[in-house]
Amino acid sequence: MSTIIAWDLGATKCAAGLLQCDGNGELHCSKTFTVKLSETTSLVDLVAKVEAGLDVNFSDAQAVCIGAAGLFDGKELKHTNPYPYSMPFAELAKSQRWPAFAVIHDYASIVCSTFTTHVVHPKSYNPHGRRVAFGIGTGLGLKDGVLFPSGDFWLGHNEMGHIGVSMPPLAKFEHLQRHREIVKFLRDKNALHVTFEKILSGNGLSRLHTFFYPDAGQLTPEQVGNALASGKIPELADTFAWYAGLFTGTVQLSFMPEGGIYITGGVALTHSAIFDLPAFAEGIDASPAYLPQRQHFPITLLKRGDTPLYGCGYYAMKRLVK
């Protein structure tokens, strides 16, 4: 049995798991632990709390894999919205005698999880075709990858959330008119470069709410989420679903993912009903190119909370454990 410590490190909290890889190459998660970064004072303190929560020392594991928001430069993890303290993983790993470790993109772990978890595919798919995972949450993250028949894999380098929202050629008139009004509103009021993340993230929900209901004042993403869940703001739900579909269609055209699209993230999972709205499919179909082929690409909502941990475990099993 190989013991692997896996992290899902976000901008505000860290979820960790203790995984074992058995002789058949199967992963099993025996314990999990979650801590808010606001409850820790440094990376050293964060590691100490995770060790206590999992009841294991990092130095006793065979591998450590950390799926993290931000960019790891080989020494330190950095984020556009800075962490509450520095994240010098390389220095800490050396001083504490960690085993082989890796800090990977947080959505790389989601892609890797699709290589090992049993995902229901409503349509036929190519298990060795390109697959894409994206998450709608605090931001809009994405990663693509390919599983080889040997079990090894390739991961891409991309950031789709920051591309601009273009005018879709086959949008219905009501969606097209609203899209023009929203783009003008965001540019005039917020002086924003209108990207998918500016609309589909948690803060994007707040911006859309201000657009539709200006007299209600500025609400937090949590407050808008509560109103969305209660069904009180159908116009916003319909528009958000359409943009989610438009982004999904853009991803399909960019990657032609025969291995499927896998969606997760706090906003997506909390409001999963938006993917059942007709506007979601209309957003996908608004870009007509290669639509007959794209209709065969499965789209799966990943609802398991431990998905990133299993993905880190798979990455460690193939790349770190000897």
Side-chain angles (χ1 to χ4, degrees):
M1 298 283 284
S2 296
T3 299
I4 299 166
I5 296 174
W7 279 20
D8 179 24
L9 178 60
T12 59
K13 69 178 181 179
C14 175
L18 183 64
L19 296 96
Q20 280 80 35
C21 177
D22 62 25
N24 297 320
E26 296 289 330
L27 285 167
H28 309 275
C29 186
S30 60
K31 189 176 292 188
T32 60
F33 174 75
T34 301
V35 61
K36 293 181 179 179
L37 298 188
S38 60
E39 298 172 354
T40 62
T41 58
S42 66
L43 181 58
V44 172
D45 184 40
L46 175 59
V47 170
K49 283 184 168 57
V50 170
E51 287 182 326
L54 296 180
D55 193 26
V56 64
N57 294 323
F58 277 47
S59 58
D60 292 333
Q62 277 70 59
V64 175
C65 186
I66 297 166
L71 177 65
F72 182 61
D73 62 7
K75 295 181 179 180
E76 184 175 346
L77 175 66
K78 299 180 180 179
H79 197 276
T80 305
N81 300 314
Y83 285 104
Y85 42 78
S86 62
M87 297 283 186
F89 279 102
E91 180 183 350
L92 183 63
K94 182 178 180 180
S95 65
Q96 294 189 352
R97 299 182 181 276
W98 285 14
F101 81 99
V103 181
I104 64 175
H105 189 281
D106 50 352
Y107 281 96
S109 64
I110 301 296
V111 172
C112 287
S113 72
T114 70
F115 300 152
T116 184
T117 55
H118 298 288
V119 179
V120 176
H121 294 277
K123 302 176 183 179
S124 61
Y125 81 115
N126 178 3
H128 304 301
R130 180 170 291 190
R131 59 186 72 193
V132 175
F134 70 80
I136 303 175
T138 304
L140 183 62
L142 179 144
K143 184 66 65 177
D144 70 316
V146 176
L147 175 67
F148 301 140
S150 65
D152 199 2
F153 55 89
W154 170 90
L155 296 174
H157 300 276
N158 37 58
E159 282 292 345
M160 287 284 292
H162 300 289
I163 67 173
V165 182
S166 60
M167 191 72 73
L170 280 188
K172 290 186 175 180
F173 177 78
E174 60 267 28
H175 291 306
L176 192 60
Q177 183 65 25
R178 184 169 291 174
H179 171 68
R180 289 171 175 158
E181 294 171 357
I182 289 173
V183 169
K184 185 178 186 305
F185 169 80
L186 292 177
R187 286 176 175 169
D188 292 348
K189 187 176 181 61
N190 299 279
L192 291 175
H193 298 292
V194 183
T195 66
F196 277 107
E197 184 172 271
K198 300 300 184 184
I199 295 175
L200 288 176
S201 66
N203 287 329
L205 279 175
S206 295
R207 295 183 184 107
L208 288 179
H209 189 272
T210 303
F211 169 79
F212 281 108
Y213 317 102
D215 296 335
Q218 185 70 38
L219 300 187
T220 66
E222 291 76 16
Q223 291 171 323
V224 178
N226 292 335
L228 188 63
S230 66
K232 296 179 180 178
I233 47 177
E235 300 93 346
L236 191 152
D238 187 72
T239 299
F240 192 84
W242 185 79
Y243 276 111
L246 185 63
F247 180 73
T248 301
T250 303
V251 170
Q252 288 179 334
L253 281 171
S254 300
F255 297 98
M256 298 302 282
E258 295 179 337
I261 290 178
Y262 303 84
I263 305 172
T264 185
V267 172
L269 298 183
T270 301
H271 306 292
S272 58
I274 66 170
F275 300 103
D276 296 323
L277 294 176
F280 177 68
E282 291 169 0
I284 294 176
D285 295 347
S287 299
Y290 299 99
L291 191 57
Q293 295 93 328
R294 288 160 48 205
Q295 288 174 339
H296 293 284
F297 302 158
I299 300 172
T300 302
L301 196 63
L302 295 177
K303 297 183 178 181
R304 286 184 54 173
D306 57 3
T307 293
L309 302 180
Y310 273 94
C312 283
Y314 190 89
Y315 183 99
M317 184 173 64
K318 295 297 181 181
R319 298 288 171 86
L320 302 177
V321 176
K322 295 182 180 181

